[in-house]
Every structure is written in structure tokens, then in C-alpha cells.
């Protein structure tokens, strides 16, 4: 692992530039040259229910506003719209992971039929969009100077993906790409709906309890997607101490994040971003 990272557990801090706020891990950027970011909803140009930093182009927002919002996001985290290749996914609530190699896919052409992306390519920014589902960013920080270069993954875990174990599947795909074990993998879990606001059909809850255990059902009676995602990660070999959680409930924080349930389906999407920077 890159020098210095082994002495720190991952942590997320809020950073704001040009009115755009993200939650990121500066120590990861400094030591390994890897950017991770979970966006808030402010600082963009979208209007109405999509206000303001909506990053999704499938929710009825003005495409020009979405493009400007993505531009503002990349500029705010120091990437620059023309300096990286932005790659997104179709996000179909499945369990398919796609590894992005050099020259594959580009802005405007989402990777079809998948809900997790993996890459080791420098200056390829992986971006997925969320409004209650669980955003997960996985990072293999590399072996330091002259060693294995970093690898990153962004995962979209709704209830279907979580039930299928998608976070763990992505861990294994990333480790295969990096040719390393998950022992020193770092995982970041962004804002998502909490169990007290996430009531699901009893048939769905029964599937989760049978698959993961009774902890999937919170004391409130709702589905604890965060606990399920954490279990999927640790079952795949991620050290629990290497999982950083933002802990914010999107349903309760619509002033900062989008929530499909709280806003009755008419809303924008915040994002989860990961990029290995060029040396």
C-alpha cells in the first residue's frame, strides 16, 4: 500500500470549491493519487425538482444543465472537463461489473447493462448517480512508487444489487484487476436512505433475512441497506476498519442530497466519483 495509508483508516471530510461540495478523503489523494468524491446537490444550474447539481440525464432535466453540472463537478475537484475521460453506467439494478480498459467508452455512451465499474486506467473518472440507493467506492491504493498502480470501482447498490451481493462481487472484480487480495482495500459508503425510512414488502425483507441474517431488518422494521452492504464487503474480505461511512440519510437531508422516496420520484441525482490520477 502507498506510504502512509497503512497508518490511517479511511475517512470522509467535506470540501467545497466554487459552490460545489463533495465528501472526499484527502489522505488518499495525497498518498496514492486517487480521488474519491460523493457530491451534494448544491452548486449547479438545474432548476425545479432537479435543483441544483443534478448529474443524471435520464430524469427529465435539461441536458445542457446536466452537462454544465458535470463540468462544474469535475472542475471543483481539480480534474477539468477536458483532462479526464468521464465514464458512466446504465444502472439497471443488476449485479454486473464491467472493467474499463484504455479507450473504452466515453461521455454520452453509458456502459450498458451494469451497476459497477472498475478501472486501473489513469484519468478515467468513473461516475454513478444516486437518490437513496447506496453509493460505494472501492479503492486499491497501489503499492507505492514503482509498484502496482491503483485501481478503483464505483458501485450502485439498490436493494436488488445489495441482495445479489454486488458490493462483494465488485470487490472481487477489483482485486482481480489489481492482482491483489482485499486485505488492504479501502471502501467508502456514501449517503443513502436509512432503515427508518425504507419499508419494503415482507417478501423482499424475507429474502434479505434468509441471505444475510436478522440484522437486515432494523428495529424500526425497515430494511437496513447500509448494514447489508457492509456485510457484503466484509464477507468479500474487506477489513471492517477500512470502511468509511458518511452515515447521512438522504430521506432526512433533501436540502443536501436527492431522495427518490422523500421527493416522490421527481428529483435529481447526486453522484459518486472515483479517478486514478496520472503520476
Amino acid at each position: 500500500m502507498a506510504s502512509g495509508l497503512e497508518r490511517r483508516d479511511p475517512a470522509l471530510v467535506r470540501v467545497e470549491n466554487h459552490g460545489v461540495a463533495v465528501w472526499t478523503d484527502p489522505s488518499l489523494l495525497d498518498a496514492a493519487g486517487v480521488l474519491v468524491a460523493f457530491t451534494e446537490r448544491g452548486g449547479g444550474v438545474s432548476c425545479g425538482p432537479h435543483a441544483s447539481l443534478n448529474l443524471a440525464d435520464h430524469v427529465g432535466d435539461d441536458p445542457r444543465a446536466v452537462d454544465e453540472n458535470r463540468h462544474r463537478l469535475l472542475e471543483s475537484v481539480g480534474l477539468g472537463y477536458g483532462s479526464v475521460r468521464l465514464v458512466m453506467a446504465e444502472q439497471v439494478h443488476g449485479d454486473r461489473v464491467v472493467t474499463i480498459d484504455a479507450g473504452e467508452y466515453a461521455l454520452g455512451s453509458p456502459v450498458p447493462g451494469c451497476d459497477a465499474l472498475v478501472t486501473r486506467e489513469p484519468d478515467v473518472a468513473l461516475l454513478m448517480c444516486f437518490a437513496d440507493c447506496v453509493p460505494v467506492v472501492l479503492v486499491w491504493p497501489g503499492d507505492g512508487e514503482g509498484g502496482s498502480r491503483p485501481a478503483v470501482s464505483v458501485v450502485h447498490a439498490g436493494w436488488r444489487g445489495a441482495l445479489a451481493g454486488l458490493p462483494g462481487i465488485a470487490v472481487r472484480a477489483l482485486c482481480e484487476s489489481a492482482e491483489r487480495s482485499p486485505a488492504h482495500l479501502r471502501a467508502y459508503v456514501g449517503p443513502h436512505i436509512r432503515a427508518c425510512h425504507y419499508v419494503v414488502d415482507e417478501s423482499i425483507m424475507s429474502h434479505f433475512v434468509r441471505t444475510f441474517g436478522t440484522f437486515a431488518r432494523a428495529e424500526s422494521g425497515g430494511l437496513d441497506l447500509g448494514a447489508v452492504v457492509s456485510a457484503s464487503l466484509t464477507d468479500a474480505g474487506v477489513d471492517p476498519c477500512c470502511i468509511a461511512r458518511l452515515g447521512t440519510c438522504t430521506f432526512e437531508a433533501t436540502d443536501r442530497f436527492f431522495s427518490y422516496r422523500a421527493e416522490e420520484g421527481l428529483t435529481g441525482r447526486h453522484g459518486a466519483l472515483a479517478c486514478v490520477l496520472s503520476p
Side-chain angles (χ1 to χ4, degrees), residues 7 40 185 193 208 274:
R7 295 188 295 273
E40 294 191 1
L185 207 68
I193 194 167
F208 275 94

Side-chain angles (χ1 to χ4, degrees), residues 1-277:
M1 185 176 292
S3 176
L5 285 177
E6 66 274 14
R7 295 188 295 273
R8 298 192 188 98
D9 293 337
L12 290 164
V13 298
R14 187 177 187 272
V15 176
E16 183 172 341
N17 287 309
H18 308 296
V20 175
V22 302
W23 290 83
T24 187
D25 186 346
S27 69
L28 182 67
L29 182 60
D30 293 342
V34 176
L35 172 72
V36 302
F38 299 103
T39 69
E40 294 191 1
R41 70 183 291 172
V45 299
S46 295
C47 300
H50 307 111
S52 64
L53 195 76
N54 167 50
L55 300 170
D57 59 7
H58 68 284
V59 295
D61 197 3
D62 183 341
R64 294 168 297 181
V66 175
D67 192 57
E68 174 63 19
N69 290 339
R70 293 172 180 174
H71 173 83
R72 290 188 178 202
L73 167 60
L74 294 179
E75 291 287 346
S76 74
V77 295
L79 295 182
Y81 209 32
S83 65
V84 297
R85 187 157 52 92
L86 188 65
V87 178
M88 304 183 70
E90 186 180 7
Q91 298 183 217
V92 294
H93 292 276
D95 63 358
R96 180 170 174 251
V97 182
V98 172
T99 298
I100 306 299
D101 295 320
E104 289 186 318
Y105 304 103
L107 177 65
S109 301
V111 182
C114 72
D115 286 85
L117 300 172
V118 173
T119 194
R120 297 180 68 191
E121 295 299 319
D123 300 326
V124 172
L126 306 180
L127 176 65
M128 287 198 182
C129 298
F130 302 83
D132 288 340
C133 294
V134 185
V136 182
V137 174
L138 305 172
V139 179
W140 161 250
D143 291 323
E145 188 174 350
S148 174
R149 73 171 180 258
V152 295
S153 176
V154 179
V155 184
H156 166 246
W159 74 260
R160 292 176 179 83
L163 182 59
L166 178 59
I169 295 170
V171 167
R172 289 183 281 274
L174 185 144
C175 290
E176 181 179 347
S177 177
E179 299 180 341
R180 293 294 186 274
S181 79
H184 296 296
L185 207 68
R186 297 159 73 85
Y188 300 85
V189 180
H192 60 87
I193 194 167
R194 301 294 294 271
C196 54
H197 298 291
Y198 197 44
V199 177
V200 298
D201 291 343
E202 184 57 34
S203 60
I204 296 173
M205 181 67 77
S206 296
H207 282 304
F208 275 94
V209 171
R210 286 197 301 270
T211 303
F212 292 96
T214 56
F215 69 84
R217 188 195 302 269
E219 290 185 6
S220 66
L223 174 59
D224 194 337
L225 272 182
V228 169
V229 166
S230 292
S232 184
L233 294 171
T234 56
D235 287 349
V238 178
D239 186 334
C241 293
C242 289
I243 303 175
R245 302 171 183 85
L246 185 53
T248 303
C249 177
T250 48
F251 190 100
E252 297 177 355
T254 53
D255 58 326
R256 295 165 51 209
F257 300 102
F258 298 103
S259 172
Y260 187 88
R261 285 206 171 194
E263 299 173 274
E264 300 181 341
L266 186 56
T267 189
R269 301 292 188 272
H270 46 262
L273 178 75
C275 187
V276 178
L277 303 184

